[in-house]
Amino acid sequence: MQLDRTPLYVAKHPVGLRPHVVRLESMLNLESEDDVLMIGLWGQGGVGKTTLAKALYNDIFRRFEASCFLANVRETSKDSKDLVHLQEKLLSELLLGKELTVFSVDGGINLIQDRLCCKRVLLVLDDVVDVKQLNAFAGKREWFGKGSRIIITTRDNRLLTSHGIDKDHIYEVKPLADWEALQLFYKHAFCRSKEIVIRRDLVDSALHYANGLPLALEVLGSFLCDRREQEWESQLNKLAKSLDKSISNVLKLSYDGLEDNEKEIFLDIACFFKGRSIEYIMEVLNSCDFDPTIGVEVLVEKSLITKGRDTIQMHDLIQLMGMDIVKQECRDDPRRRSRIWLCEDVCDVLSGEMGTDAVKAIVLDLPKTEAIYIGPNAFPNMRRLSSQISPWPKEVSQS
């Protein structure tokens, strides 16, 4: 057994990890050495899957003959050459520093099977997005010695189930509870100065914005640290209109991996339908010639939406990310965007007869009963809208 292995750096403020680590250790059934077990940590971007996997790894890696934490697989294996390099890294760490040259992915697979089939190892594959990655590093349980444990973090539940991991061995990583979110935010936002006093309503607004997402709590808390109330107000007002870029970049990776049909469905839900009934959403999407049955399921599997008992929900920041994608189509001119949902934008476009063929959908949910003026030639220029608007329920205003 290797004695000089060192633990991984987990996080500056590892809040709320211990209960999850305990539950995952139970799931891993570490006392059993009769089989090879694979488990998945699944959840949306920024929710803390990697942080949790590191904490779990640190707690258990010394129980194995060898261990390897293969970090950020998504970014470090964009083509076959990258996969080969990671296979070499995996083999080197699990063979305790022995250097092997891998010439191809298939050759690496053969080496992994041949050299590790009798070795009890711990392997963490972090941020896996493609079945090719799984097949290159841990295609079958038989590749590893009895008692080995393989941990996979991913945003895609389907990736895990298609690899033969049953639901009892998939651990959904969820946003922090309110008290945990408050603790993590305070550690970042008030880490240095004890003299600055911030109004409770501003702290509550920041917590509401992050909605339990560790990434957002860390980014926002660190940004607001040592700033005065006026700066807090200004930043929170800004974030209410547009998502912080560093947060958006992480969340948008899940959107970028979607097929075109799924992207359209996601943007419609983000802009129009969050919180509405599943039946209503499916009816609308069906009327638009999407394939919502499979499309909605894919969005659930990729942690972009959740299904409640009767409704479809999504994290507030994921919704903001979706809305921002649409706003980026034309930042200063809503008539050149694919979707319009803000009351003032809808009124401007329809009353001024300014619609263009970029517009695919308009949903208007008026804040109170009132009439709006729609010009007689409001719709002719919106040629992509005409086939979609007529079947929609009362939220869509045509006259």
Side-chain angles (χ1 to χ4, degrees), residues 49-67:
K49 301 181 296 297
T50 299
T51 302
L52 178 56
K54 287 180 179 179
L56 175 62
Y57 176 92
N58 285 350
D59 222 43
I60 66 176
F61 74 95
R62 290 189 176 90
R63 304 188 193 187
F64 296 83
E65 291 180 60
S67 59

Side-chain angles (χ1 to χ4, degrees), residues 103-246:
F103 295 101
S104 68
V105 173
D106 289 340
I109 288 173
N110 286 334
L111 279 172
I112 292 171
Q113 293 180 76
D114 182 59
R115 299 301 181 94
L116 300 177
C117 62
C118 296
K119 203 173 189 69
R120 184 172 184 262
V121 302
L122 171 64
L123 173 61
V124 179
L125 303 175
D126 172 52
D127 196 20
V128 178
V129 296
D130 194 305
V131 69
K132 292 179 181 177
Q133 296 163 349
L134 277 184
N135 289 337
F137 307 127
K140 293 183 178 180
R141 290 167 174 80
E142 293 77 14
W143 294 8
F144 308 94
K146 288 184 178 181
S148 292
R149 297 294 183 263
I150 317 300
I151 300 167
I152 302 157
T153 78
T154 183
R155 304 182 187 198
D156 189 347
N157 185 284
R158 179 65 182 170
L159 190 70
L160 300 172
T161 57
S162 65
H163 202 62
I165 302 175
D166 62 76
K167 64 180 181 179
D168 291 334
H169 291 98
I170 297 175
Y171 190 85
E172 184 178 0
V173 184
K174 298 180 179 180
L176 296 176
D178 290 346
W179 68 271
E180 294 172 324
L182 177 62
Q183 184 181 358
L184 181 59
F185 180 72
Y186 260 76
K187 285 181 179 294
H188 285 280
F190 302 101
C191 56
R192 291 186 291 272
S193 175
K194 304 296 183 182
E195 299 176 2
I196 297 178
V197 178
I198 301 298
R199 297 198 318 266
R200 180 64 199 218
D201 66 296
L202 293 176
V203 174
D204 288 343
S205 294
L207 291 170
H208 179 76
Y209 172 82
N211 198 11
L213 196 69
L215 171 68
L217 292 162
E218 293 169 17
V219 169
L220 184 55
S222 298
F223 181 83
L224 295 173
C225 184
D226 284 341
R227 297 186 187 273
R228 306 289 175 178
E229 282 189 350
Q230 297 93 326
E231 295 170 299
W232 277 60
E233 289 177 340
S234 177
Q235 178 67 2
L236 290 169
N237 287 335
K238 174 185 170 185
L239 291 176
K241 303 170 187 174
S242 182
L243 188 60
D244 177 273
K245 188 174 181 179
S246 59

Side-chain angles (χ1 to χ4, degrees), residues 343-355 362-366 370-382 385 389 394-399:
C343 183
E344 58 269 28
D345 290 341
V346 174
C347 292
D348 287 347
V349 170
L350 295 185
S351 63
E353 302 177 359
M354 299 186 300
I362 297 175
V363 170
L364 177 58
D365 193 359
L366 291 171
E370 61 181 70
I372 67 169
Y373 172 75
I374 298 179
N377 296 310
F379 294 106
N381 289 333
M382 294 186 280
L385 182 71
I389 195 167
K394 61 183 179 181
E395 284 86 355
V396 179
S397 175
Q398 300 179 66
S399 60

Side-chain angles (χ1 to χ4, degrees), residues 78 139 207 223 241 282 289 319 329 340 355 360 384 387 397:
K78 293 182 177 179
L207 291 170
F223 181 83
K241 303 170 187 174
M282 298 299 278
D289 293 327
Q319 181 184 31
E329 294 169 356
I340 307 175
K360 296 180 181 179
R384 302 172 77 185
S387 64
S397 175

